[in-house]
Amino acid sequence: MTPIDISVLIGIGLLAGFSNAVVGGGTLFTFPAILAVGLSPVIANATTTVALWPGTVTSARAQLSELKRSAHALYPRVIGATLGGLIGALLLLASGDTLFFQLVPWLLAIATALFTFARQIVKRVVRIGEFTHGNTTALVAMEFVCSIYGGYFGAAIGILLLASMAVAGEHDMQSANAQRNYLVCFINGIATLIFVVMGVVDWTVALIVMPGSVAGGYIGGKFARRIPGQFLRYLVTAAGVIFSIVYFARAYG
């Protein structure tokens, strides 16, 4: 690995950690970059999850004050999210490189679409939330299903979680964003544990990306209220579209 590769990976980690804390979508930067280094698809995905997890923790830590109102209902949600992340991680390992590589362009395209139209999705499901307000059981079930996807791939998992909270009647987006980061800690945390135990992590790459993701996650989480995220949204969408096209060509060209 050249010094340029190392510099790019550190920068990608910083951008991904910052993006995850502010608007989400960090995996759309890191996964293609790590895959381009030459790792197999499953190892690249597992390494991405491990490398970005500490950044998720720091951004969640920076937003703990936003969790006070929802703290009483977090316990069952954490259990559901952790179980879903576990199932998703095991499904990834069971998929193998060939099947997963065939799914990569579709997963990137779906994640990009979810990210791009996140606001419209959340606004539409808010109406449903008027009829399901306070239904913790329904919220746990929705987040459990979302967490399976999160453990399997993870790109745009935050959008799915925000949509689930909107369906359940959550209207405070600052609180919802903090809850999202908190739950992703457990989804990616259990996936990280599984990937480490199963030995599917490239630690050289992970340890290069990780410091940037930690710094980016903390900065983004600390200043999320003050940072206009629209430019970053455009950047994430553009990256997602480009990478989706590239990997459709590689997988099916």
Side-chain angles (χ1 to χ4, degrees):
M1 191 178 300
T2 68
I4 293 177
D5 291 334
I6 294 172
S7 299
V8 168
L9 287 175
I10 292 173
I12 287 291
L14 181 65
L15 179 60
F18 183 87
S19 179
N20 275 338
V22 179
V23 295
T27 301
L28 293 174
F29 292 114
T30 50
F31 174 69
I34 291 177
L35 195 59
V37 172
L39 303 186
S40 69
V42 169
I43 291 179
N45 191 48
T47 301
T48 297
T49 300
V50 173
L52 292 185
W53 181 67
T56 303
V57 174
T58 56
S59 59
R61 175 68 182 82
Q63 294 178 299
L64 281 179
S65 61
E66 301 286 353
L67 290 175
K68 292 179 180 179
R69 184 172 57 82
S70 58
H72 65 284
L74 281 175
Y75 184 70
R77 295 168 63 192
V78 165
I79 294 176
T82 304
L83 182 58
L86 171 63
I87 293 172
L90 294 175
L91 286 174
L92 173 68
L93 297 179
S95 295
D97 286 318
T98 302
L99 175 59
F100 183 62
F101 189 68
Q102 295 294 313
L103 292 175
V104 161
W106 296 100
L107 292 170
L108 286 172
I110 291 170
T112 301
L114 287 171
F115 178 85
T116 302
F117 300 106
R119 292 178 178 175
Q120 293 90 329
I121 292 170
V122 172
K123 284 181 180 178
R124 286 184 177 275
V125 298
V126 160
R127 292 185 177 181
I128 303 174
E130 294 174 359
F131 302 98
T132 56
H133 180 74
N135 191 334
T136 303
T137 301
L139 178 59
V140 170
M142 288 186 289
E143 289 177 342
F144 167 72
V145 174
C146 294
S147 299
I148 295 175
Y149 166 79
Y152 187 81
F153 186 55
I157 176 60
I159 306 305
L160 295 176
L161 293 174
L162 288 174
S164 298
M165 284 180 259
V167 169
E170 177 61 75
H171 301 300
D172 183 342
M173 291 310 297
Q174 289 295 335
S175 176
N177 192 51
Q179 294 172 58
R180 167 188 71 102
N181 284 334
Y182 188 75
L183 291 174
V184 171
C185 285
F186 292 92
I187 297 169
N188 287 354
I190 189 64
T192 291
L193 178 61
I194 294 299
F195 297 150
V196 170
V197 170
M198 298 304 294
V200 292
V201 178
D202 186 306
W203 283 105
T204 300
V205 174
L207 291 175
I208 292 172
V209 175
M210 199 176 291
S213 75
V214 171
Y218 181 80
I219 294 169
K222 201 70 175 176
F223 299 102
R225 286 175 176 255
R226 308 176 191 176
I227 300 168
Q230 194 57 45
F231 174 75
L232 193 56
R233 285 183 179 277
Y234 290 145
L235 183 61
V236 174
T237 295
V241 170
I242 292 170
F243 291 136
S244 297
I245 293 171
V246 168
Y247 284 103
F248 267 116
R250 288 187 181 181
Y252 299 101

